[in-house]
Amino acid sequence: MIHNKNVVLGVTGGIAVYKSVELLRLLVKEGANVRVMMTQNAKWFVGPMTFEALSRQPVCSDLFDGKSDASIRHIDWAEQADVVVVAPATANMLGKLAHGIADDALSTLMMAVTCPVILCPSMNTHMYESPATQRNLERLKEDGHFIVTPDSGDLACGTSGPGRLPEPADIMDRIFHFLSPKDLAGKNVLVTAGPTQEFIDPVRFISNPSSGKMGYAIARAAEYRGANVTLVSGPSHLVPPKNVEVINVQTAVEMSSVVFEKMASAHIIIKSAAVSDYRPVVTAAHKIKKEKDTMVVEMEKNPDILFELGQRKKDQILVGFAAETQELQKNATSKLERKNLDMIVGNLVGDPNSGFGTDTNKVTFFFRDGAHEVLEEMEKDAVAHALLDRVLNRI
Ligand code: PMT
């Protein structure tokens, strides 16, 4: 979303300026062309050299710094910007922006900006909660600016409460959210992710190496695109996507009861979880001792959640996944038909860059009408967006 885009990073004077350095690094890592504009006060906290080195561009903090293009730089930068992010945004800067005051380089640039503006307030809790700041934030929202809600916690001034600049990775997440088209607005999307764990005794279980990355990427992408997302997740170490209802489960039986409870309100159901097909017939009440040389665990079938969804579905889009080590097309299309799906994502597993635990994936989409589409290897986030694009086409 920001690859090769012009981003202006506005930095105003607060203790959180050190986080803007990391934010700049993340923006550059995403391929953005970032220009930094600092207020004079911001320079007390971190020097412009740091921002210049990371952005590889001159930093602007003064419209009248004697350089030949200085007096028109704010207009050029404003016109060329695809997005402006102000982090941290002090109470003073929010007040100026809300009232159209342009008395320094950054506030002057902001008057000329026509692209999306993302403001990240950061200040002492009382300053943040003051009627003036809240009034200014409301006005800025009405003006069409996006506001990243500050985190709550201990602040540098010794108080505790809302006002902390979110971590740079979280600001990036919200930048992607704000910049995404809201083509799934009003849609309820139900996603399953991760493995299930089927217990043999209280300390041992049968499972698989699913990390949850694919399902979490789908939930995150759907949230970016405006959907109301419920994520039913097997055990995973991943940080849950923001603004998503996450329901944690452990076993296939638990997953099935949550999914069936939630299915009625879902417009789109995407089942990327790696559900254990079988569970032990008996779960021992206590740890099994290693008394015998061999051990047999009798297993019984788990509910096939996807099959059952296919039977019950009404006017809903149902997408399954098929993790296969061979004969991808044959196995995936047979599941597509048997389970009454609209689409299935054939996923080659057992490849170092695809399947369980990887950041990238190699998938083929198979559709109900017999069409299929082979995707090149890509990040799971990109697979998630491609999948949602195809679902939207079908809707
Ligand atoms: O989590 P990651 O590390 O990112 O890995 C991603 C993934 C490889 C787990 C994912 O991309 C994937 O392929 N998920 C499906 C894994 C799987 O269980 O495939 P399957 O072919 O066994 O199952 C077919 C479909 O039926 C799946 O949609 C599955 O969710 C569903 N199913 C399976 C068994 C069962 N009892 N109930 C089900 O609903």
Side-chain angles (χ1 to χ4, degrees):
M1 252 172 282
I2 55 169
H3 190 77
N4 286 336
K5 298 279 188 227
N6 293 325
V7 177
V8 172
L9 175 61
V11 182
T12 68
I15 187 69
V17 170
Y18 73 95
K19 288 189 183 171
S20 317
V21 176
E22 174 65 3
L23 179 61
L24 168 59
R25 198 187 65 75
L26 294 178
L27 288 164
V28 170
K29 198 170 151 218
E30 286 291 330
N33 170 38
V34 190
R35 289 159 156 176
V36 178
M37 194 166 261
M38 301 177 79
T39 61
Q40 294 297 339
N41 284 339
K43 294 200 284 186
W44 288 105
F45 295 90
V46 175
M49 281 283 275
T50 307
F51 290 100
E52 284 193 2
L54 285 170
S55 67
R56 296 171 185 234
Q57 306 235 35
V59 167
C60 176
S61 51
D62 187 350
L63 289 182
F64 309 102
D65 60 7
K67 294 186 187 136
S68 60
D69 67 339
S71 60
I72 51 155
R73 204 179 298 161
H74 64 290
I75 300 295
D76 284 352
W77 285 22
E79 276 178 1
Q80 290 159 10
D82 294 299
V83 57
V84 176
V85 182
V86 183
T90 56
N92 180 46
M93 182 54 72
L94 296 175
K96 287 202 242 182
L97 301 183
H99 293 89
I101 296 169
D103 64 353
D104 64 5
L106 180 57
S107 55
T108 307
L109 169 128
M110 297 300 282
M111 290 293 288
V113 159
T114 54
C115 66
V117 170
I118 298 170
L119 303 170
C120 308
S122 168
M123 63 201 73
N124 160 275
T125 298
H126 300 306
M127 289 171 78
Y128 176 69
E129 288 177 340
S130 73
T133 299
Q134 291 302 315
R135 218 170 29 240
N136 290 336
L137 284 170
E138 277 313 308
R139 179 173 284 195
L140 289 163
K141 275 189 217 163
E142 281 163 22
D143 288 348
H145 297 331
F146 300 113
I147 312 291
V148 176
T149 310
D151 282 349
S152 275
D154 293 338
L155 296 165
C157 53
T159 54
S160 187
R164 247 181 29 186
L165 189 68
E167 293 308 313
D170 292 336
I171 297 178
M172 289 295 289
D173 179 81
R174 290 302 85 189
I175 292 173
F176 292 139
H177 169 84
F178 289 134
L179 296 183
S180 294
K182 298 292 173 276
D183 48 11
L184 282 171
K187 298 284 180 231
N188 299 333
V189 178
L190 176 61
V191 183
T192 69
T196 63
Q197 295 176 343
E198 313 296 330
F199 279 79
I200 299 170
D201 70 14
V203 295
R204 300 181 184 94
F205 55 77
I206 290 170
S207 189
N208 60 67
S210 170
S211 60
K213 284 181 185 173
M214 190 62 249
Y216 279 53
I218 297 166
R220 190 165 42 245
E223 191 274 336
Y224 284 175
R225 296 167 74 153
N228 306 310
V229 184
T230 300
L231 173 63
V232 184
S233 174
S236 166
H237 297 295
L238 300 178
V239 178
K242 286 208 177 314
N243 199 22
V244 162
E245 181 193 21
V246 182
I247 302 175
N248 293 306
V249 296
Q250 209 162 12
T251 65
V253 169
E254 283 170 21
M255 184 174 278
S256 76
S257 65
V258 174
V259 166
F260 293 129
E261 187 194 317
K262 295 280 173 187
M263 91 166 276
S265 57
H267 300 105
I268 301 161
I269 305 172
I270 304 173
K271 281 228 68 236
S272 72
V275 185
S276 296
D277 288 321
Y278 292 88
R279 64 175 182 274
V281 172
V282 177
T283 302
H286 297 286
K287 186 179 172 189
I288 300 170
K289 298 291 169 201
K290 54 170 190 287
E291 285 155 356
K292 299 184 214 149
D293 285 346
T294 58
M295 178 181 160
V296 175
V297 178
E298 195 185 352
M299 309 278 281
E300 63 187 345
K301 257 194 175 163
N302 265 326
D304 188 329
I305 308 169
L306 189 59
F307 177 83
E308 195 57 41
L309 286 168
Q311 300 301 303
R312 297 189 196 183
K313 91 179 169 101
K314 302 216 158 54
D315 191 17
Q316 294 160 306
I317 300 271
L318 181 58
V319 181
F321 270 69
E324 305 293 343
T325 53
Q326 58 178 352
E327 298 197 270
L328 187 66
Q329 175 147 10
K330 185 167 157 249
N331 292 327
T333 50
S334 126
K335 282 176 189 168
L336 174 83
E337 279 160 31
R338 192 159 39 85
K339 302 194 182 193
N340 189 27
L341 311 177
D342 297 287
M343 175 180 169
I344 194 160
V345 182
N347 196 165
L348 209 59
V349 294
D351 177 300
N353 298 327
S354 175
F356 295 108
T358 53
D359 289 331
T360 51
N361 220 353
K362 290 182 194 166
V363 303
T364 303
F365 294 153
F366 298 95
F367 302 97
R368 200 187 177 87
D369 60 9
H372 76 276
E373 187 184 348
V374 182
L375 271 69
E376 60 189 29
E377 180 186 311
M378 55 177 78
E379 298 285 319
K380 283 180 175 168
D381 284 319
V383 173
H385 280 288
L387 166 53
L388 294 174
D389 288 343
R390 304 311 178 271
V391 167
L392 271 165
N393 281 347
R394 302 274 139 177
I395 292 175

